[in-house]
């Protein structure tokens, strides 16, 4: 928690000089806001991976298996997390293909030129709206199993 607060304050002070400066060029301030929003979105990515995939179920099962074998820390937690991540990729690959197929038209039509722009945000939101149905079906099938 302390690392997160420290990172926030460092980013805030790093960007604050150009964010709150009274300059004539407002495009610089908008660009900084876009970069901060992109950084915030990327920081949520591990949380989304844990919640929207079967990663938690797999890591719990692997931890219970390790305890059932009677070993305390062999294999280490990092190894269990790596195995669970590889198994999650294997399980989620067909869902990822279905999500890509559902949003293929939206991906190929009029991609934005800049990475951090208003058009990019609307482009990503349109892709997510098209791709969410296969993920929703996966989550409903595996919610109580």
């Amino acid at each position: 928690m302390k690392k997160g607060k420290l990172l926030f304050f460092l980013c805030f002070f790093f960007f604050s000089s150009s964010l709150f400066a009274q300059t004539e060029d407002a495009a610089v301030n908008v660009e900084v806001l876009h970069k901060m929003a992109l950084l915030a979105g990327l920081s949520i990515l591990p949380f989304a991976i844990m919640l929207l995939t079967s990663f938690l179920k797999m890591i719990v099962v692997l931890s219970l298996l390790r305890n059932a074998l009677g070993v305390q820390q062999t294999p280490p937690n990092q190894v269990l997390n790596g195995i669970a991540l590889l198994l999650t990729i294997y399980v989620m690959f067909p869902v990822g293909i279905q999500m890509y197929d559902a949003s293929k038209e939206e991906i190929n039509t009029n991609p934005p030129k800049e990475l951090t722009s208003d058009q990019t945000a609307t482009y990503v939101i349109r892709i997510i709206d098209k791709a969410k149905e296969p993920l929703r079906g996966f989550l409903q099938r595996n919610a109580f199993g």
Side-chain angles (χ1 to χ4, degrees), residues 34-48:
H34 286 295
K35 288 180 181 178
M36 288 178 69
L38 181 66
L39 182 64
L42 287 176
S43 67
I44 295 174
L45 191 61
F47 181 69

Side-chain angles (χ1 to χ4, degrees), residues 1-14:
M1 188 68 177
K2 291 182 182 181
K3 288 182 182 179
K5 288 180 183 179
L6 179 65
L7 181 64
F8 172 75
F9 286 121
L10 285 175
C11 289
F12 180 76
F13 287 124
F14 178 70

Side-chain angles (χ1 to χ4, degrees), residues 39-113:
L39 182 64
L42 287 176
S43 67
I44 295 174
L45 191 61
F47 181 69
I49 288 172
M50 286 177 49
L51 285 182
L52 298 176
T53 64
S54 54
F55 178 80
L56 282 178
K57 288 182 182 181
M58 290 186 192
I59 195 66
V60 167
V61 168
L62 289 173
S63 297
L64 289 174
L65 177 65
R66 179 177 65 185
N67 289 338
L69 292 174
V71 291
Q72 295 297 320
Q73 292 297 321
T74 305
N77 287 333
Q78 284 184 325
V79 173
L80 289 182
N81 284 329
I83 293 170
L85 186 62
L86 289 174
L87 288 172
T88 300
I89 292 170
Y90 179 74
V91 168
M92 293 300 294
F93 189 76
V95 178
I97 295 294
Q98 291 172 359
M99 291 172 66
Y100 176 75
D101 289 341
S103 62
K104 190 185 301 187
E105 290 178 15
E106 199 65 43
I107 291 171
N108 293 330
T109 57
N110 199 13
K113 303 292 185 247

